[in-house]
């Protein structure tokens, strides 16, 4: 199993109890925690990459194992 822990308003996260410095801080906004998607995907054993969709917009593609999904932003 994998664990990912973020600290509010900090650029330090923990992947499987290992401290990792993120390029940007996890932010608490309107009762939600916003954190870098790539680090979350990595922490779950996958990866995230930026892709260009057919309409020209950009999105994040998250792949974990054989499953993949698109997150629009």
């Amino acid at each position: 199993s994998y664990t990912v822990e973020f600290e509010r308003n900090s650029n330090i996260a923990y992947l499987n109890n290992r401290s990792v410095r993120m390029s940007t801080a996890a932010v608490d906004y309107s009762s939600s925690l916003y954190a870098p998607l790539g680090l979350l995907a990595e922490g779950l054993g996958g990866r995230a990459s930026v892709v260009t969709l057919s309409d020209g917009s950009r999105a994040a593609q998250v792949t974990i194992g054989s499953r993949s999904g698109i997150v629009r932003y």
Side-chain angles (χ1 to χ4, degrees), residues 42-62:
E42 179 185 334
L44 296 173
R47 62 184 170 80
S49 57
V50 175
V51 295
T52 301
L53 302 177
S54 60
D55 65 2
S57 64
R58 292 169 42 117
Q61 180 174 8
V62 178

Side-chain angles (χ1 to χ4, degrees), residues 10-53:
S10 172
N11 66 340
I12 301 297
Y14 297 91
L15 293 176
N16 300 320
N17 298 317
R18 181 178 50 94
S19 174
V20 176
R21 183 174 299 276
M22 302 182 292
S23 60
T24 187
V27 178
D28 188 2
Y29 177 77
S30 293
S31 301
S32 295
L33 184 66
Y34 293 84
L37 184 60
L39 188 66
L40 179 59
E42 179 185 334
L44 296 173
R47 62 184 170 80
S49 57
V50 175
V51 295
T52 301
L53 302 177

